[in-house]
Amino acid sequence: MKLVVVGAAGRMGQSLIRIIQETEGVRLHAAIGREGSSFIGKDAGELAGVGFLGIPLTADPLQAFLNADGVLDFTTPATSVEYAGLAAQARIVHVCGTTGCSEADNEKIIAAGRHARVVKSANTSLGVNLLGVLVEQAAKALPASGWDIEIMEMHHKHKVDAPSGAALLLGEFAARGRDIALTNHSVRVRDGHTGAREAGKIGFATLRGGSIVGDHSVLFAGEGEMLTLSHTARDRSIFARGGVAAALWARDKKPGFYSMLDVLGLSN
Ligand code: NAD
């Protein structure tokens, strides 16, 4: 499967290139960088530390998409909206790992699923998706009247969106378990005299610092006891491996909008 990596000079882009090199059945077809970036023209393999591949970073998606089977896109919301459209035109696979997308962005990416096979996930690791399934079960079993749900996450200091996409994803699982909508039950910021905690809300706490790849904990705080479900990402390669697996999975699927739960066989 011939894969294009967009955002090839980024942290996830480089990890994706390394994982493509070690995965059977896929190969790097083209690597796309940001227009005007000093990395344009540099060899994708050398940038990713896997040696010369003879694939220079380009800013021209049309040339990169020629004969490609899929695109791996862990970039920015605006870029992902653009590449979802390009993948739809080319009728190929679009794996979108970008976080921080607005409702309007998501609508456009979902619409691309009419022609592309889109897999979008704020977290492509097996562990976090399984954690989500467990969180949904716990939220269902532990009543909102006695158990408060708080989601805590920590990431490296360069991360630009908050709460993390994975924290919001876990919030969605918790809300599904409680049969409520996350949008009108989440508390994303607390500051000053907030008053007592309202039962049934799902709280978020965001920490940023150092080089933390991604820590997520979902706390179920009851009277006299607390259950904590958590996941620690030690290496970005877990997301890249999931992204490449998603592309391989989507290859022979019908056009549509899929999630990592579909890829991992965890959807019900
Ligand atoms: P990064 O800033 O290191 O990399 C992003 C890259 O995209 C940069 O090199 C940037 O130049 C490039 N880019 C931006 N616009 C572009 C365009 N129009 N064309 C080509 N390239 C463009 O960031 P990162 O840490 O690699 O994270 C990228 C995204 O992936 C973030 O949204 C992050 O939250 C998300 N992420 C998702 C997962 C997951 O499992 N889904 C895991 C880690 C990170």
Side-chain angles (χ1 to χ4, degrees):
M1 184 173 192
K2 288 172 279 177
L3 295 175
V4 176
V5 172
V6 58
R11 282 176 287 262
M12 277 305 298
Q14 293 184 22
S15 185
L16 286 161
I17 291 168
R18 289 192 285 272
I19 295 299
I20 287 172
Q21 287 313 107
E22 61 182 56
T23 307
E24 228 174 274
V26 292
R27 73 180 157 85
L28 185 68
H29 181 67
I32 303 179
R34 194 170 33 80
E35 180 100 62
S37 153
S38 57
F39 295 113
I40 299 298
K42 299 245 159 64
D43 186 72
E46 284 183 343
L47 272 178
V50 292
F52 184 77
L53 293 175
I55 299 178
L57 255 68
T58 173
D60 177 3
L62 297 183
Q63 187 203 348
F65 271 39
L66 269 183
N67 299 319
D69 299 309
V71 56
L72 302 173
D73 165 12
F74 290 62
T75 55
T76 65
T79 306
S80 290
V81 167
E82 180 191 345
Y83 276 83
L86 290 169
Q89 278 170 31
R91 307 285 201 264
I92 61 173
V93 170
H94 180 212
V95 176
C96 178
T98 303
T99 62
C101 292
S102 66
E103 285 287 312
D105 295 332
N106 282 330
E107 275 171 28
K108 289 177 193 146
I109 297 170
I110 290 168
R114 285 200 285 266
H115 300 297
R117 281 145 281 155
V118 181
V119 181
K120 185 170 190 292
S121 176
N123 194 297
T124 46
S125 79
L126 169 60
V128 162
N129 285 278
L130 184 57
L131 175 64
V133 173
L134 298 174
V135 164
E136 184 176 342
Q137 281 176 8
K140 201 175 221 161
L142 304 171
S145 53
W147 295 82
D148 299 321
I149 304 178
E150 294 283 312
I151 300 174
M152 198 165 69
E153 57 106 338
M154 181 159 186
H155 280 83
H156 56 87
K157 60 188 171 195
H158 303 290
K159 185 158 180 64
V160 293
D161 54 317
S164 72
L168 293 169
L169 187 73
L170 293 168
E172 292 287 354
F173 278 105
R176 203 176 320 152
R178 288 260 164 102
D179 204 17
I180 54 172
L182 182 63
T183 38
N184 52 2
H185 285 86
S186 70
V187 177
R188 290 167 61 152
V189 181
R190 289 188 183 106
D191 187 27
H193 188 84
T194 58
R197 191 188 195 285
E198 227 183 286
K201 294 286 185 192
I202 297 175
F204 290 86
T206 300
L207 292 85
R208 292 286 175 267
S211 59
I212 306 275
V213 175
D215 287 0
H216 293 88
S217 294
V218 182
L219 292 74
F220 294 84
E223 290 302 322
E225 58 183 328
M226 184 159 86
L227 170 71
T228 306
L229 299 175
S230 61
H231 177 267
T232 300
R234 299 208 190 279
D235 190 314
R236 233 167 230 106
S237 64
I238 60 169
F239 310 123
R241 217 166 275 125
V244 171
L248 280 166
W249 174 89
R251 189 178 190 182
D252 61 0
K253 298 293 175 294
K254 286 195 292 224
F257 183 78
Y258 302 97
S259 77
M260 251 350 249
L261 291 185
D262 300 311
V263 175
L264 298 169
L266 294 172
S267 54
N268 44 28

